[in-house]
Amino acid sequence: MIRIRGLRKHLGTRQVLDGVDLDIAAGETVVVMGRSGTGKSVLLKHIIGLMKPDAGSIEVEGQEIVGMGERELDAVRRRFGMLFQSAALFDSLTVGENVGVGLREHQRLPEPEVRRRVAERLEWVGLSGVEAMKPGSLSGGMRKRVGLARAIAMDPQYILYDEPTTGLDPIMADAIDGLIRGMQQRLSVTSVVVTHDMTSAYKVADRMAMLHDGKIVFTGTPDEVRATTHPMVRQFVAGSSTGPIRPL
Amino acid sequence: MEDFLPARGVRFVRRRAFDWVAEVGRVTLMLRDVVRFLIPGLRSFGRLVQQMNAIGVGSLWLVVVVSLFTGAVAAVQAAYQFTAVVPMRYLGSVILRSVIIELGPVLTALVIGGRVGASIAAELGTMKVTEQIDALRAMAIHPVRYLVVPRVVAAVIMLPIITIFSDAIAIFGGYVVAITSIGVSSHTYTQSLKDFFLMKDLWSGLIKSFFFGGIIGTMGCFHGFATEGGAEGVGLATTHAVVASCVLVLISDYVLANVLFRFIFAA
């Protein structure tokens, strides 16, 4: 369970997060939606301790992570996997080394076991036999899938997805959505997905939350989102430039 | 109303001074982490060897060319200044001592600082702007342990080794010029080297290059990690790394020369 209360963060002169309150229950997939630049990725980076808030609280299984030192945070981070928007694969390593980097650094497993786990995770994301390839030679969709294989390599309890379908064609986006649902069923993980892709959001979400002006302005199930009369949510879901959310 | 010009100047200098102090503080914190993660960071011997190869072997040809011509120029300049004042039999000794005490370590550090400092800053800067550093932290892998320790240690190990190599090449360059265009015999040149070689001169150069290696590795990593923005940020980080490396090498050269020749090797 992740519990966020009153999270505030300013970057430069802009108040990006202005009192975010959000609960993510164990085993559920919560999609945080909102316009580009509303602070969705900033929120994710706070959950895993990559950014420090100006104020507020983030509890992971009852453990307050705001104010923790790097060493304590590392213990929390080992329970997480994160898929970055750009996949953030290490260019100097092969695909196999990318997926196995956490296993080699933390788990001190015998090399054959590391290779077996790497091959297994790559197979789960539909990329068997690409261990020797370099990230530079992969397509956008393949990079995301390798990033996902790396995120799940250490059997995390939580997976954070930062814009998992951005920049992908609709067929590949659907495949990634399938993988996100598949991971939840296979590993029983708790997932937080930030996206502005509503097609993807409806497919993967158990619950959806809308971030606007630094606050969560709405939470509900996908059916509740479809049925809501909340003007901001309706405008966002409809993709309309007229309404309470100003386009510029 | 426009600010009075001197007041703006004072504010500018004060802001720059604060920025500089803050930067020194951040470098110190990074060095603290390097010491903290020194042993765990070297557990992966392969990463250290990879960096030693990139820093040392990768710079070899550049060092050969620079050192060869440095020795050659030193011979020409010394011969010009010796004319009618100092016998040419001392040519070898002047080249030897100027190369192993000063020219070898400093020029090697400047060359490596340009090549390796830029390369480290560009690599780590690109990793920073493409979220690869965040990805390491998200996997509970400390970036200083994984990225900085192998680079700084490799630079500290490789600089003295390349400096020895550079010294030898420069002395050879001086030898070639001395016997082909100045008219000094091979025996005279080598005898001069033997007569005036002092182990403490070699040590002083190597001690300096050890520190220069630390400066180059640290500046490359620090400015790489400090990269902000995109391609422009990477370019700026690269420039800052090279400039900082070169300036600090020259300043520390002066400080170390004082410490080494006034105190440690004074006798």
Side-chain angles (χ1 to χ4, degrees):
Chain A
M1 159 112 192
I2 299 171
R3 186 181 147 96
I4 300 166
R5 286 292 175 273
L7 198 69
R8 295 169 65 85
K9 178 72 177 178
H10 81 277
L11 294 173
T13 55
R14 205 162 71 90
Q15 192 68 41
V16 180
L17 303 179
D18 193 14
V20 170
D21 297 319
L22 184 65
D23 290 328
I24 298 140
E28 76 170 342
T29 298
V30 171
V31 169
V32 179
M33 54 187 184
R35 293 187 64 203
S36 298
T38 50
K40 303 187 297 294
S41 300
V42 171
L43 176 61
L44 268 198
K45 287 182 179 178
H46 276 88
I47 293 173
I48 200 167
L50 295 178
M51 294 178 93
K52 295 195 184 303
D54 300 330
S57 150
I58 302 170
E59 287 178 13
V60 177
E61 290 172 18
Q63 201 179 4
E64 177 63 57
I65 68 162
V66 174
M68 268 187 180
E70 279 293 307
R71 203 171 286 184
E72 294 166 288
L73 267 176
D74 280 349
V76 176
R77 285 173 184 149
R78 287 187 201 194
R79 288 183 251 157
F80 281 82
M82 182 162 178
L83 173 59
F84 285 80
Q85 186 172 350
S86 59
L89 302 180
F90 307 122
D91 300 324
S92 57
L93 304 182
T94 64
V95 166
E97 287 166 342
N98 261 284
V99 177
V101 69
L103 297 169
R104 289 190 175 94
E105 288 298 314
H106 294 308
Q107 298 200 347
R108 308 224 169 274
L109 297 170
E111 193 53 28
E113 175 59 15
V114 172
R115 289 198 185 149
R116 190 196 65 74
R117 290 266 287 269
V118 167
E120 181 187 68
R121 295 317 194 258
L122 284 170
E123 189 194 331
W124 286 5
V125 298
L127 282 176
S128 295
V130 299
E131 283 91 331
M133 289 176 80
K134 284 279 192 159
S137 58
L138 303 178
S139 68
M142 288 170 87
R143 290 175 72 88
K144 295 263 187 183
R145 285 189 282 164
V146 172
L148 181 55
R150 187 176 69 183
I152 59 173
M154 304 255 290
D155 296 327
Q157 293 168 254
Y158 302 90
I159 305 181
L160 309 179
Y161 299 89
D162 189 0
E163 307 277 8
T165 56
T166 299
L168 302 180
D169 66 75
I171 293 166
M172 182 54 72
D174 186 59
I176 296 287
D177 293 337
L179 286 171
I180 293 172
R181 293 304 307 181
M183 290 309 144
Q184 194 196 12
Q185 285 153 14
R186 196 191 288 259
L187 301 169
S188 305
V189 287
T190 306
S191 304
V192 184
V193 183
V194 306
T195 186
H196 48 63
D197 175 354
M198 289 310 298
T199 311
S200 169
Y202 283 130
K203 282 179 191 164
V204 301
D206 294 320
R207 219 151 47 82
M208 299 164 87
M210 178 150 169
L211 184 65
H212 182 70
D213 274 348
K215 293 184 176 72
I216 298 291
V217 294
F218 178 89
T219 55
T221 63
D223 286 339
E224 286 168 341
V225 170
R226 284 189 188 96
T228 187
T229 55
H230 192 291
M232 284 180 183
V233 179
R234 286 185 67 85
Q235 183 190 352
F236 186 78
V237 170
S240 168
S241 63
T242 53
I245 304 173
R246 291 193 189 146
L248 296 171
Chain B
M1 200 177 103
E2 273 291 302
D3 272 352
F4 189 48
L5 197 60
R8 282 166 61 188
V10 167
R11 273 208 306 276
F12 175 78
V13 170
R14 195 172 54 196
R15 198 169 57 239
R16 279 299 168 100
F18 280 139
D19 288 350
W20 184 80
V21 171
E23 196 162 304
V24 170
R26 287 196 293 272
V27 172
T28 309
L29 288 175
M30 197 180 85
L31 285 173
R32 182 203 64 182
D33 284 344
V34 169
V35 173
R36 201 174 116 206
F37 290 113
L38 194 59
I39 303 300
L42 294 177
R43 267 194 211 124
S44 172
F45 192 61
R47 273 205 301 277
L48 176 65
V49 172
Q50 193 183 25
Q51 290 304 320
M52 286 167 69
N53 182 52
I55 292 169
V57 181
S59 307
L60 223 50
W61 282 112
L62 192 57
V63 170
V64 166
V65 173
V66 170
S67 306
L68 194 65
F69 283 95
T70 300
V73 170
V76 172
Q77 297 277 7
Y80 168 69
Q81 291 177 58
F82 280 13
T83 311
V85 181
V86 181
M88 285 298 169
R89 68 172 186 274
Y90 294 116
L91 189 66
S93 69
V94 166
I95 293 170
L96 169 79
R97 297 190 76 176
S98 56
V99 162
I100 64 175
I101 292 172
E102 189 63 28
L103 292 175
V106 173
L107 285 178
T108 303
L110 293 177
V111 167
I112 303 272
R115 185 188 167 275
V116 173
S119 146
I120 292 175
E123 185 184 3
L124 298 193
T126 305
M127 288 185 76
K128 172 92 185 294
V129 300
T130 55
E131 296 184 305
Q132 293 176 50
I133 306 274
D134 277 347
L136 277 177
R137 292 177 63 211
M139 285 190 283
I141 299 171
H142 202 292
V144 170
R145 172 169 70 83
Y146 193 81
L147 299 170
V148 178
V149 169
R151 283 165 175 78
V152 172
V153 172
V156 164
I157 293 172
M158 289 314 289
L159 251 287
I161 293 172
I162 303 172
T163 299
I164 292 175
F165 186 74
S166 162
D167 289 350
I169 298 284
I171 291 166
F172 174 72
Y175 168 82
V176 172
V177 171
I179 63 167
T180 56
S181 66
I182 298 172
V184 175
S185 74
S186 173
H187 172 75
T188 305
Y189 187 90
T190 50
Q191 192 58 45
S192 178
L193 295 180
K194 284 179 196 163
D195 290 345
F196 289 91
F197 175 78
L198 292 174
M199 202 61 200
K200 68 178 183 180
D201 291 346
L202 182 63
W203 275 118
S204 70
L206 296 183
I207 290 168
K208 285 201 281 187
S209 62
F210 173 85
F211 283 96
F212 296 161
I215 288 169
I216 293 165
T218 304
M219 285 299 105
C221 293
F222 174 75
H223 287 285
F225 274 16
T227 306
E228 297 288 344
E232 190 188 1
V234 175
L236 274 176
T238 307
T239 309
H240 288 159
V242 174
V243 171
S245 295
C246 294
V247 170
L248 288 177
V249 161
L250 294 173
I251 292 172
S252 63
D253 184 39
Y254 170 73
V255 174
L256 287 167
N258 270 290
V259 173
L260 291 168
F261 297 114
R262 285 193 179 178
F263 301 106
I264 297 173
F265 297 132

